[in-house]
Structures are given as structure tokens and as C-alpha cells.
Amino acid sequence: MPDDPTKPRKSDAVSARAERDEALPQAKTSTSEDVAAFVAKARALSPHAPGAKGRLIFALDATMSRQPTWDMACALQADMFREAAALGSLDIRLVYYRGYNECRATGWISDSGKLATLMSKIDCRGGDTQIGRVLTDARHEAVTSGVRAVVFVGDAMEERVDALCAKAGELGMLKVPVFLFQEGHDAVAEQAFREIARLTGGAWCRFDPGAAAQLRELLRAAAAYAAGGREALLRLAKTAHGAAQLIGQMK
């Protein structure tokens, strides 16, 4: 992925690199042997061990309808780092999809300013959802990088729900919860998001369009979990409604 996101190409203004981002592969169905091997390797890595650095995948729907929420997420992402700072440290991997068959991910970022700058260079484009590719990337990173949690922010689901649930089940086996924050009231998306949350041991929460305060609380809660685990989320739940919403669903 050559190119710089600030220098448009003839055919694609920002579809190339964003801070050394990578195009994610098409999602594929895994065999039971694949899953067993990944689970064994993940357990050996012990990403949830005390003192391990928190790692969070921050996945966003960047299709055309998402521009207002993308801008809001740009403004709020620093709150995730601030929440995690009190517990240790946090690395974030930004994953986003947009346009025709474009799904990309950055490397691991530990500085909120760097992430904000990167996000400000990405524009939203019309296209279908690619949640399957997000889950595939999360599964890979759960083993290779020790991901503790996945946050997904979106408003729609246009894929085969059974295929998404199969991938969510693999993340559940790897003990990587997915926190799905839905904007709006799309019933199809809600059904799928709730099931992904259930299968991964995560949580689903709705926030109102343009409700920055709601989204801020939810992102802070997810960051607390990624940095400090369930105990950190339980402590935050005593004073923060967003954390209480998440912990109330997690098993």
C-alpha cells in the first residue's frame, strides 16, 4: 500500500495508505482445525495476563451515512486513551471500511494525537458493510498481537448474519469480547449486533444520532476493559452509566 492519504490518486483519493494502513483480506470461513490451533496459540500468548499492555481494535463503518459519526469519533477517541492511562497503557488499531470492497487497518497506535490526525485524513464513502472482514482481522490480531477487546461503531448490517455469527463464535472461543455501539434503530442491524455481542461475551448498546456524550461514555468503558479487564470495568461502572451498560450484558 504505497501512497499517502493526503495525496489523492487518479482513481481513488484516499484508498491507499493511511499511516501505513493495510488492506484487509476477504473474510473466509475457518475449519474446526484452524479454530483449535488459534485457540491453543492464543492461550499460550496469555494476552489477558496481569501487566500485559491493553490492545483494542477500534472498528468504524466509514460508509457515506457515517460521516457525522466519524467526525464525532475523531473528537472522542482521545477519551479512550485518557481512561486507559489511569490503568496502564493502551494501543489502538483502527479498522474501517467504506466504498467498494475497501477495508483497511492501521498498525498499533499508542498516541491519541497520532490517531486523531490519521482519522482526520479519511473521508467516508458510499458502500456496503464489511463487518465480516473486521471480525476476521480481530481474530487474527487476537492471536498475533493479544487483543483484549473490539469496539465496533455502525448503523447497518448488509451481510449474511450466519457467517458473521460463525466468526463471532471464534472470537468468543478466544475470549475477545466485541462491544457493538449502534447508532439509530435499524432492526436488522440490532438483531445481528446483539447476537455478535452474545457470542463473544461482549455487549450491544444503542446511542442516539449525534449523541456525543453517550458515545464518549461507551468508548471510555470499552477502553477501561481493554486496559484493565473486567475488574477495571466493574470499578468504572460504579460511577459511569456507560460502563454499567456494558458490564450488565457481559458474561
Side-chain angles (χ1 to χ4, degrees), residues 5-6 8 12-16 96 98 102 104 121-123 125:
T6 62
D12 190 349
V14 198
S15 67
Y96 64 95
R98 62 181 183 174
E102 180 184 358
R104 296 184 178 273
K121 296 177 181 178
I122 300 170
D123 63 321
R125 299 180 183 177

Side-chain angles (χ1 to χ4, degrees), residues 4-58:
D4 185 297
T6 62
K7 297 179 180 179
R9 298 189 311 191
K10 291 181 180 179
S11 61
D12 190 349
V14 198
S15 67
R17 189 170 73 176
E19 191 62 31
R20 294 193 305 177
D21 67 352
E22 58 192 77
L24 301 186
Q26 289 288 355
K28 293 185 286 188
T29 302
S30 303
T31 66
S32 58
E33 292 80 7
D34 290 336
V35 176
F38 267 75
V39 170
K41 188 174 180 181
R43 286 174 177 166
L45 285 173
S46 299
H48 297 280
K53 192 168 188 177
R55 285 195 157 178
L56 171 74
I57 289 179
F58 185 29

